[in-house]
Amino acid sequence: MSEPLTVLAPVSGVVRAMADVPDPVFGGELVGPGLAIDPVRDGVVDAIAPIDGTIVKLHAHAFVVTADAQHSALVHLGLDTVQLGGAGFTLHAKEGDVVKAGDVVVSWNPAEVEAGGRSPMCPVVALDAKREQLTELVTAGADIRSGAALFEWS
């Protein structure tokens, strides 16, 4: 059996249960379980790769990093942010790039997203995983810094 994969927090903020994400797709864990982070409102912040792997999907507001055939992590920067068409987001990588956990992928401003009437909440999803495969390393309501261990995925 392989070692569990540690998934890092892509941004700093307050950890939230996925059920508390005000979006039925993420809140209902329809794409997979995970945790969410209510990010700090501290100007432009960097969103980092939560795992080592290859960026297989990159939009301004979301990205997926695949570690292997069983592990792909989705980071979604805010809710309904697809409607912004990339405005306010700066990409630092491209699809196909191999990244290390902690590499900066996108910069954005959560306070501006919120000022525009959208939630800056960031779901961090273990795509196609089962809830019982995850071990949460921090509890909902705790502060977390970008790059700290968020959950393990076996």
Side-chain angles (χ1 to χ4, degrees):
M1 185 167 180
S2 63
E3 293 287 317
L5 178 68
T6 300
V7 178
L8 307 182
V11 295
S12 297
V14 178
V15 175
R16 299 291 183 209
M18 201 61 95
D20 294 335
V21 175
D23 178 284
V25 172
F26 294 115
E29 299 187 344
L30 300 181
V31 292
L35 287 168
I37 300 172
D38 188 7
V40 295
R41 302 341 184 242
D42 206 15
V44 174
V45 299
D46 294 329
I48 63 169
I51 57 175
D52 294 345
T54 302
I55 297 176
V56 295
K57 189 57 78 180
L58 178 63
H59 299 285
H61 66 282
F63 57 93
V64 175
V65 179
T66 295
D68 56 41
Q70 289 83 39
H71 299 97
S72 293
L74 164 67
V75 176
H76 207 280
L77 303 172
L79 303 176
D80 299 323
T81 46
V82 66
Q83 300 164 353
L84 297 173
F89 296 85
T90 302
L91 303 180
H92 299 283
K94 62 184 181 309
E95 287 185 14
D97 282 358
V98 175
V99 293
K100 290 288 199 188
D103 286 352
V104 176
V105 179
V106 179
S107 297
W108 67 306
N109 188 326
E112 283 186 6
V113 167
E114 187 172 54
R118 294 173 179 83
S119 170
M121 187 86 70
C122 296
V124 182
V125 180
L127 290 175
D128 299 322
K130 295 180 172 42
R131 168 55 63 188
E132 58 271 16
Q133 291 178 278
L134 303 188
T135 302
E136 296 177 0
L137 300 175
V138 288
T139 57
D143 289 330
I144 193 164
R145 298 200 51 83
S146 175
L150 185 61
F151 58 83
E152 286 186 337
W153 183 359
S154 58

